[in-house]
Amino acid sequence: MDKVESIEQLKELIAYVRNLRQGFVTNFYLDEEKHAAWIRTGEFQYDKWEDTVFLLFDHYAPDNAKYFTNMFYISTSEDAMLARLKEYPEKYIYDLYVLDIVGRDTMCLPLVEKLKAMRGYNDATLIRMTRINGEGLMVNGECIYATRDDVSLINELLHTHFDEQMEQLPLVEELEKMIEQKHVLLSMREGHVAGMLLFDLNAMLYLRYWLVLLEYRNQGVGSELFRQFLWEGRETKQQILWVNQANENAIVRYEHYGFKKENMYDYIIRYC
């Protein structure tokens, strides 16, 4: 296994598989800003095979013990990827890997079942929901933008209230960038953070994380944050989010704001 040294190297690894002209399947979608931050940690590695490249990003617990590894594949076919996974070196195979299999259900489920037969388990599936701008009400709320002074608190809240393996939580460097871009909203009550919402904004508006602390629920904090979120994306034509398909309450809440479910899923496979 070798460390990923640059974005250019990632592009070369993708091109390597494409240039084999034997097919192309992947669960890795290059985000230059995000993956540059991963490279700078020194924990982003690759494993290159004849017809497959695995990309691995290690996560560590506070005691510096390896917690889990996000695994991505770039391969000529799903069968080729599975064959290489079966041959994976024994010294690595007992670690915990997390793979995201993204796409329409009919396309993804056969691969999900094959991974489950290889010690993988699928205990969470996300469904994508979208909203076309102009549907429903958009109101500018009374939230504030987070500042660099809030980084530690926001990072702590993310790691306390979200599943690190399922949510792909941002690095501190990524979080600082989101704050700089004013993509982190806070709702305050008597000088204390009552809730927060993190989003990405480019051609589309993309919800990343939405949290209302338990002691402030049923006080309008969530709606205040979400209305501000929609207002931030008032110039976009489409808003997107992913939600656990088992979380019916959240789905109903998003539908209230005009979001509709799509036939697009993220099957999260934990493999060890």
Side-chain angles (χ1 to χ4, degrees):
M1 235 180 263
D2 298 293
K3 286 187 178 182
V4 178
E5 301 289 351
S6 66
I7 293 295
E8 189 58 38
Q9 186 180 33
L10 284 175
K11 292 178 179 178
E12 289 171 359
L13 290 169
I14 295 169
Y16 164 75
V17 176
R18 284 195 184 278
N19 290 339
L20 294 173
R21 301 188 184 281
Q22 297 173 19
F24 186 85
V25 296
T26 188
N27 69 340
F28 179 74
Y29 305 99
L30 182 62
D31 179 329
E32 293 197 14
E33 191 171 285
K34 175 180 179 177
H35 293 132
W38 287 14
I39 290 167
R40 285 191 287 272
T41 68
E43 303 299 339
F44 200 13
Q45 303 175 80
Y46 72 93
D47 198 3
K48 186 176 178 182
W49 299 64
E50 181 181 347
D51 51 15
T52 300
V53 174
F54 290 108
L55 299 171
L56 305 116
F57 183 62
D58 293 333
H59 297 260
Y60 289 84
D63 61 0
N64 287 325
K66 188 187 289 189
Y67 181 25
F68 69 97
T69 298
N70 283 120
M71 174 181 273
F72 305 92
Y73 59 84
I74 308 162
S75 185
T76 56
S77 70
E78 290 177 356
D79 286 341
M81 182 274 290
L82 291 169
R84 298 309 180 191
L85 196 56
K86 286 179 181 177
E87 299 171 17
Y88 224 62
E90 204 171 297
K91 64 180 178 178
Y92 301 126
I93 206 63
Y94 294 104
D95 291 341
L96 174 61
Y97 296 94
V98 179
L99 297 86
D100 291 79
I101 309 300
V102 180
R104 298 183 180 276
D105 51 1
T106 53
M107 296 177 61
C108 293
L109 285 172
L111 177 57
V112 169
E113 292 303 315
K114 289 176 183 177
L115 286 166
K116 286 165 67 175
M118 294 171 56
R119 298 198 309 275
Y121 56 101
N122 169 224
D123 59 353
T125 299
L126 308 181
I127 185 170
R128 193 168 77 180
M129 301 183 72
T130 59
R131 176 183 184 275
I132 304 302
N133 212 5
E135 298 177 355
L137 182 65
M138 293 185 296
V139 179
N140 186 2
E142 299 178 356
C143 306
I144 64 171
Y145 297 113
T147 70
R148 281 186 171 267
D149 293 338
D150 301 309
V151 169
S152 294
L153 175 60
I154 293 168
N155 191 50
E156 179 183 346
L157 290 173
L158 285 170
H159 285 269
T160 301
H161 295 278
F162 293 89
D163 184 329
E164 296 180 50
Q165 296 175 23
M166 187 171 75
E167 303 283 354
Q168 291 196 21
L169 300 182
L171 301 175
V172 169
E173 180 181 339
E174 295 176 78
L175 187 54
E176 290 173 342
K177 184 66 175 179
M178 293 180 76
I179 288 173
E180 180 183 317
Q181 296 171 326
K182 296 188 175 181
H183 290 175
V184 182
L185 304 174
L186 300 179
S187 178
M188 309 297 293
R189 293 293 185 273
E190 298 180 351
H192 298 284
V193 173
M196 65 181 190
L197 190 151
L198 289 72
F199 64 94
D200 287 330
L201 177 61
N202 37 63
M204 295 181 291
L205 181 66
Y206 177 34
L207 177 65
R208 294 284 301 275
Y209 311 99
W210 182 23
L211 171 69
V212 178
L213 297 181
L214 184 61
E215 58 269 35
Y216 296 104
R217 292 181 184 171
N218 301 314
Q219 297 181 32
V221 172
S223 60
E224 178 182 295
L225 285 163
F226 209 82
R227 287 194 178 98
Q228 179 76 24
F229 161 69
L230 294 177
W231 187 82
E232 296 287 340
R234 62 196 178 279
E235 301 295 331
T236 63
K237 293 182 178 180
Q238 189 177 40
Q239 297 86 47
I240 295 175
L241 60 85
W242 292 87
V243 59
N244 192 322
Q245 70 168 358
N247 192 341
E248 295 181 3
N249 288 335
I251 290 173
V252 169
R253 188 162 65 244
Y254 292 131
E255 288 175 336
H256 169 75
Y257 286 103
F259 285 82
K260 297 178 181 178
K261 291 187 285 187
E262 291 187 88
N263 181 15
M264 186 63 64
Y265 296 88
D266 181 355
Y267 297 90
I268 298 168
I269 307 295
R270 309 188 204 221
Y271 181 88
C272 60

